[in-house]
């Protein structure tokens, strides 16, 4: 211990130390290259693929935003929530109400503010965040499965409101979502007509880029958050609330904040969902949607932003792909024909995939991806880059050793 | 002899004493601590010892705000620790290293240590998430200090290793390092050498002395290793069944008849078998000193 002077020196003068900024950790050249290549492919894709894939892509981007948000809450902060569908609904309904035109079809008289869609999107995100914030005092007091059950109530309330509040939500029949629009540029089929390299850029192409930008922003924010002070605090409170609070983290406030952030993500995902389907309907925002989002983050890898994206890709694209290629895939048939319906087949596959992931790769798809890229990466000193929470090292609950039962007053 | 050591090491003026006055903690009908009082003199190493179930960890939980005292006061200078929440206590410079390791196993050593800087830093959900320059700068600056503290506890080469894959001894050192990263004025160490081998124990003991002499802070230590307690501590408080049975220098405590009775059993009241069940042999004071 010859460094007694160093430790006394609270001025932190020493320079040239490899600061433990996580950004500096063993980077290979491969990863950035892969990322750039991926981005180029994503940007160029609308020039080459047909509308179905672009529409699927936009749905995946929307799901990715929602999954990243849910993963921050469940995977990183350890707060189980089944209410994600509710927050998506808040975002979606706010969007169609704020940006929709008043009017009505048949019996349903619809209200609408008719404001620009970007306002609708922002309001959707903010209102979903607000809903999360209002719920968070409850969330801060409950833990684990209890929180999950409490959050379940929100889903049922949401469904009821969607069905009953017809002027806003369109009621049982749902309501059409207005096209997105930014500074006079419509994300629809015309206004203006647009050709890029001879390829007509219609709604699907335009939405693809909108989705890409929104998903990248969501990804970027989550990555930054997790690598910095709030992210460390959240991950510690997941592992031990007592340890986090003793280290100076205001646990209640952090739980509330992450609920806010997560529901804002859900709100944006809800808006994108409405844009992707073109309308909203009560049955879209049921418990099943919450479960699908949980499936995404478990499959993708709890606590990993990349995992959330991979999970979203898998879970939201698979049923659509099955549907399209129903006649090519054995055992899957079209609706009304023999065999499984595409949605059901996809669900069987999710079930199987989740069982396999839990058995063989608890870090999910992200863990598998890490393993593949990790093989090429140079790792000094057998460093482990990815490490599933292991019960032996984390039976850490700092429960005092002298519990009341042991107090032996006899 | 040990009382003078504190004076030699030049105490800092910003370190107040810790005054525990008549603290009781009850869980339902069970009293875990009963009117315990002691004072930690600034800049000293103060050990709390006692047989299993004596209330040592409960005392630590009161000091760090995890448990609320039913009666009594805990003062740290002007602050009333018994009325504050744990994160507020951390904010005024009280740090704690846990007995059962409470680190985040998936995060690297550096990330775990950076958590210690939490109350010293500001970056929130906006600044950090949007990577504003001030958040980046702040992270870099505190990262340097964290690297120094890691070096001090021989963790410099493990900064980027996930804590979960480290050896037990290393993890214990990360615990202490994380507490140090808060730049504490009072350091609470809950069995810092439990489960360590002899060499690791010696290194930890040297580090604790170093911390005290270099930083001039107060250290409160719960420890079962009597050799370590007797050689490190300036003052010792002995608990048994939630009561304070002795308080003094190591030399005084070692010869105190109450303490010897608590550890060995007198045979008068307790039946021998009961005493053996309650008191682990290694707790015996003087066994190794």
């Amino acid at each position: 211990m010859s460094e007694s002077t160093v430790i006394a020196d609270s001025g932190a003068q020493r320079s040239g130390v490899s600061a433990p900024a996580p950004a500096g950790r063993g980077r290979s050249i491969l990863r950035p290259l892969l990322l750039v290549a991926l981005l180029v492919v994503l940007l160029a894709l609308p020039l080459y693929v047909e509308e179905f894939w672009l529409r699927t892509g936009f749905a995946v981007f929307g799901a990715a935003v929602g999954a990243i948000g849910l993963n921050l809450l469940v995977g990183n902060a350890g707060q189980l929530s089944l209410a994600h569908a509710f927050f998506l609904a808040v975002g979606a309904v706010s969007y169609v109400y704020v940006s929709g035109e008043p009017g009505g079809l048949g019996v349903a008289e619809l209200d609408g503010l008719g404001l620009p869609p970007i306002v609708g999107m922002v309001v959707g995100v903010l209102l979903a965040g607000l809903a999360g914030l209002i719920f968070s005092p409850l969330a801060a007091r409950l833990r684990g499965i209890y929180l999950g059950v409490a959050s379940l109530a929100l889903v049922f309330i949401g469904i009821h409101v969607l069905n009953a509040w017809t002027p806003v939500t369109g009621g049982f029949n749902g309501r059409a979502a207005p096209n997105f629009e930014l500074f006079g540029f419509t994300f629809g089929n015309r206004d203006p007509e647009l050709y890029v390299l001879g390829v007509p850029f219609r709604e699907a192409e335009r939405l693809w880029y909108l989705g890409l930008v929104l998903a990248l922003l969501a990804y970027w924010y989550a990555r930054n958050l997790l690598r910095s002070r709030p992210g460390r605090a959240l991950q510690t409170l997941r592992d031990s609330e007592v340890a986090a609070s003793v280290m100076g983290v205001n646990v209640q406030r952090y739980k509330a904040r992450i609920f806010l952030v997560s529901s804002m993500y859900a709100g944006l995902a809800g808006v994108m969902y409405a844009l992707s389907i073109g309308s909203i309907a009560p049955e879209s925002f049921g418990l099943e949607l919450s479960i699908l989002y949980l499936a995404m983050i478990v499959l993708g890898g709890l606590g990993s932003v990349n995992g959330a994206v991979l999970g979203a890709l898998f879970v939201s694209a698979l049923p659509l792909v099955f549907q399209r290629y129903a006649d090519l895939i054995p055992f899957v048939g079209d609706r009304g024909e023999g065999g499984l319906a595409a949605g059901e087949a996809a669900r069987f596959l999710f079930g199987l995939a989740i069982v396999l992931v839990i058995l063989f790769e608890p870090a999910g798809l992200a863990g598998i991806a890490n393993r593949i890229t990790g093989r090429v990466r140079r790792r000094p000193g057998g460093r482990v880059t990815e490490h599933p929470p292991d019960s032996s090292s984390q039976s850490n609950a700092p429960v005092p050793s002298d519990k009341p039962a042991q107090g032996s007053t006899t | 002899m040990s009382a003078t050591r504190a004076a030699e090491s030049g105490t800092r003026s910003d370190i107040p004493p810790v005054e525990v006055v008549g603290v009781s903690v009850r869980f339902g009908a069970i009293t875990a601590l009963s009117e315990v009082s002691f004072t930690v003199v600034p800049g000293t190493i103060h050990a709390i010892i006692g047989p299993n179930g004596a209330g040592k960890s409960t005392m630590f939980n009161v000091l760090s705000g995890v448990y609320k005292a039913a009666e009594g006061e805990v003062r740290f200078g002007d602050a009333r620790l018994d009325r504050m929440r744990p994160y507020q206590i951390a904010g005024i410079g009280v740090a704690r290293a846990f007995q059962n390791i409470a680190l985040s196993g998936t995060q690297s050593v550096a990330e775990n240590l950076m958590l210690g800087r939490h109350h010293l830093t500001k970056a929130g959900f906006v600044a950090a998430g949007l990577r504003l320059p001030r958040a980046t700068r702040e992270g870099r600056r505190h990262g340097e200090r964290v690297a120094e503290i890691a070096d001090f506890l021989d963790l410099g080469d493990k900064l980027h290793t996930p804590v979960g894959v480290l050896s037990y001894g290393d993890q214990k050192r990360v615990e202490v390092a994380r507490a140090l990263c808060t730049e504490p004025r009072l350091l609470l160490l809950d069995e810092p050498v439990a489960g360590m081998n002899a060499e690791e124990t010696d290194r930890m003991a040297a580090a604790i002395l170093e911390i005290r002499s270099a930083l001039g802070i107060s250290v409160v230590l719960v420890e079962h290793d009597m050799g370590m307690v007797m050689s490190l501590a300036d003052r010792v408080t002995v608990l048994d069944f939630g009561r304070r049975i002795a308080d003094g220098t190591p030399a005084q405590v070692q010869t105190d008849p109450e303490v010897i009775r608590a550890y060995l059993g007198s045979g008068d009241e307790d039946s021998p078998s009961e005493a053996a069940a309650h008191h682990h042999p290694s707790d015996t004071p003087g066994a190794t000193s």
Side-chain angles (χ1 to χ4, degrees):
Chain A
M1 303 292 169
S2 58
E3 303 198 50
S4 63
T5 49
V6 170
I7 188 137
D9 172 20
S10 49
Q13 294 303 324
R14 205 167 43 151
S15 56
V17 177
S18 67
R25 80 163 58 161
R27 274 200 172 172
S28 69
I29 323 141
L30 186 74
R31 276 217 163 172
L33 274 183
L34 273 177
L35 281 178
V36 170
L38 182 67
L39 198 63
V40 168
V41 169
L42 289 176
L43 283 171
L45 219 51
L47 295 172
Y48 299 101
V49 303
E50 52 183 305
E51 190 184 341
F52 165 77
W53 292 106
L54 296 178
R55 289 202 172 275
T56 304
F58 185 71
V60 169
F61 288 139
V65 171
I68 291 171
L70 186 64
N71 209 1
L72 287 176
L73 184 67
V74 179
N76 298 110
Q79 311 297 305
L80 177 63
S81 166
L82 287 168
H84 219 53
F86 171 76
F87 297 119
L88 264 103
V90 172
V93 167
S94 307
Y95 175 73
V96 296
Y97 175 72
V98 170
S99 299
E101 297 293 337
L105 290 164
V107 280
E109 279 291 315
L110 295 181
D111 290 344
L113 302 181
L115 293 171
I118 180 70
V119 177
M121 180 180 274
V122 171
V123 169
V125 170
L126 292 180
L127 280 183
L130 185 67
L133 204 58
I134 290 169
F135 182 68
S136 66
L138 190 62
R141 276 165 186 75
L142 296 172
R143 230 182 280 184
I145 193 71
Y146 301 101
L147 176 57
V149 171
S151 63
L152 199 56
L154 286 182
V155 177
F156 295 120
I157 293 170
I159 294 287
H160 177 75
V161 171
L162 279 168
N163 275 314
W165 200 9
T166 309
V168 170
T169 65
F172 181 76
N173 294 316
R175 179 170 185 177
N179 273 343
F180 194 68
E181 204 183 298
L182 199 58
F183 309 122
F185 180 85
T186 320
F187 288 76
N189 287 335
R190 51 192 77 246
D191 264 348
E193 300 270 353
L194 191 63
Y195 291 87
V196 176
L197 299 175
V199 178
F201 264 41
R202 293 158 64 82
E203 185 180 5
E205 285 82 5
R206 298 176 192 192
L207 280 179
W208 167 274
Y209 287 109
L210 178 69
L212 183 61
V213 168
L214 292 175
L216 282 177
L217 283 176
Y219 179 88
W220 180 75
Y221 177 86
R223 291 285 292 222
N224 289 344
L225 189 72
L226 289 179
R227 286 173 173 177
S228 56
R229 174 177 180 265
R232 289 187 290 267
L234 290 171
Q235 291 175 78
T236 306
L237 87 82
R238 168 195 66 195
D239 293 336
S240 165
E241 280 187 22
V242 174
S245 65
V246 167
M247 296 312 293
V249 179
N250 186 342
V251 170
Q252 308 248 325
R253 183 196 290 175
Y254 265 78
K255 282 184 174 178
R257 292 271 166 87
I258 196 59
F259 238 97
L260 168 74
V261 170
S262 170
S263 22
M264 284 172 74
Y265 268 87
L268 181 58
V271 174
M272 294 171 78
Y273 183 85
L275 287 172
S276 141
I277 307 287
S279 64
I280 59 165
E283 73 263 17
S284 311
F285 299 103
L287 181 58
E288 194 187 322
L289 187 65
S290 288
I291 304 275
L292 279 181
Y293 270 99
L294 282 177
M296 289 178 204
I297 63 173
V298 170
L299 270 176
L302 281 174
S304 156
V305 183
N306 287 327
V309 176
L310 289 173
L313 173 67
F314 188 76
V315 170
S316 60
L318 204 62
L320 299 172
V321 174
F322 268 26
Q323 193 123 33
R324 182 171 170 91
Y325 295 106
D327 44 347
L328 300 180
I329 305 170
F331 308 117
V332 179
D334 259 334
R335 224 166 263 168
E337 293 177 19
L340 287 166
E344 273 172 58
R347 247 165 271 161
F348 276 113
L349 213 63
F350 299 154
L352 184 67
I354 287 176
V355 171
L356 290 178
V357 157
I358 287 169
L359 281 180
F360 297 112
E361 180 51 284
L365 296 174
I368 297 171
N370 266 349
R371 247 186 236 182
I372 294 167
T373 54
R375 206 157 281 168
V376 200
R377 188 190 301 185
R378 287 167 298 152
R379 274 195 227 167
R383 181 197 299 161
V384 180
T385 47
E386 168 274 311
H387 175 75
D390 116 33
S391 54
S392 67
S393 71
Q394 297 204 346
S395 53
N396 52 16
V399 176
S401 55
D402 41 1
K403 288 200 199 76
Q406 263 176 269
S408 53
T409 45
T410 48
Chain B
M1 55 148 212
S2 45
T4 54
R5 267 196 301 200
E8 283 166 19
S9 66
T11 42
R12 276 159 53 180
S13 56
D14 62 332
I15 300 194
V18 179
E19 291 159 294
V20 177
V21 185
V23 164
S24 299
V25 173
R26 298 194 189 88
F27 300 104
I30 294 160
T31 305
L33 284 178
S34 171
E35 290 169 30
V36 173
S37 301
F38 61 88
T39 300
V40 180
V41 179
T44 60
I45 297 179
H46 191 119
I48 300 175
I49 64 170
N52 287 330
K56 306 184 295 290
S57 292
T58 306
M59 193 65 240
F60 255 41
N61 279 327
V62 171
L63 287 174
S64 54
V66 176
Y67 288 172
K68 291 276 162 264
E71 286 157 27
E73 293 180 7
V74 182
R75 286 193 291 266
F76 182 53
D78 298 332
R80 284 286 297 271
L81 301 188
D82 54 312
R83 289 180 183 165
M84 292 164 74
R85 307 265 300 279
Y87 74 91
Q88 295 168 324
I89 291 175
I92 61 166
V94 179
R96 173 176 175 183
F98 287 91
Q99 173 195 353
N100 359 34
I101 292 157
L103 300 164
S104 191
T106 51
Q107 298 193 79
S108 69
V109 172
E111 286 167 322
N112 272 283
L113 297 188
M114 279 298 275
L115 182 76
R117 310 302 285 183
H118 188 86
H119 77 96
L120 301 168
T121 47
K122 288 198 191 68
F125 279 78
V126 175
L130 302 181
R131 223 191 233 179
L132 299 185
R134 64 183 152 92
T136 319
R137 253 196 324 268
E138 179 186 84
R140 199 177 315 122
R141 204 176 58 229
H142 286 269
E144 285 167 12
R145 176 67 176 149
V146 158
E148 286 175 5
I149 291 170
D151 278 347
F152 171 71
L153 283 164
D154 298 336
L155 295 162
D157 54 336
K158 303 187 178 72
L159 270 179
H160 300 300
T161 312
V163 163
V165 303
L166 291 180
S167 73
Y168 179 80
D170 283 343
Q171 292 192 11
K172 289 293 270 193
R173 282 211 300 284
V174 176
E175 267 286 347
V176 175
R178 183 173 71 173
L180 270 185
C181 281
T182 67
E183 307 290 350
R185 298 188 291 161
L186 169 64
L187 181 61
L188 308 173
L189 298 176
D190 200 348
E191 303 199 21
V193 300
M196 280 189 172
N197 64 31
E199 193 208 329
E200 287 172 327
T201 302
D202 287 348
R203 275 158 69 196
M204 182 60 82
I208 293 170
L209 285 174
E210 201 74 63
I211 289 164
R212 201 264 317 256
S213 62
L215 299 178
I217 62 176
S218 312
V219 178
V220 180
L221 182 75
V222 162
E223 189 47 68
H224 271 300
D225 186 322
M226 281 304 147
M228 180 161 166
V229 167
M230 294 305 159
S231 63
L232 280 188
D234 300 309
R235 201 166 180 88
V236 180
T237 298
V238 188
L239 300 179
D240 189 28
F241 293 130
R243 287 170 198 284
R244 190 190 90 176
I245 57 169
D247 186 84
T249 64
Q252 290 167 343
V253 162
Q254 251 170 310
T255 52
D256 189 300
E258 272 284 293
V259 177
I260 293 169
R261 190 197 54 77
Y263 272 88
L264 296 176
S266 64
D268 292 347
E269 303 141 48
D270 294 344
S271 70
S273 64
E274 195 184 344
H278 277 302
H279 309 319
H280 196 270
S282 73
D283 292 346
T284 314
T288 46
S289 63

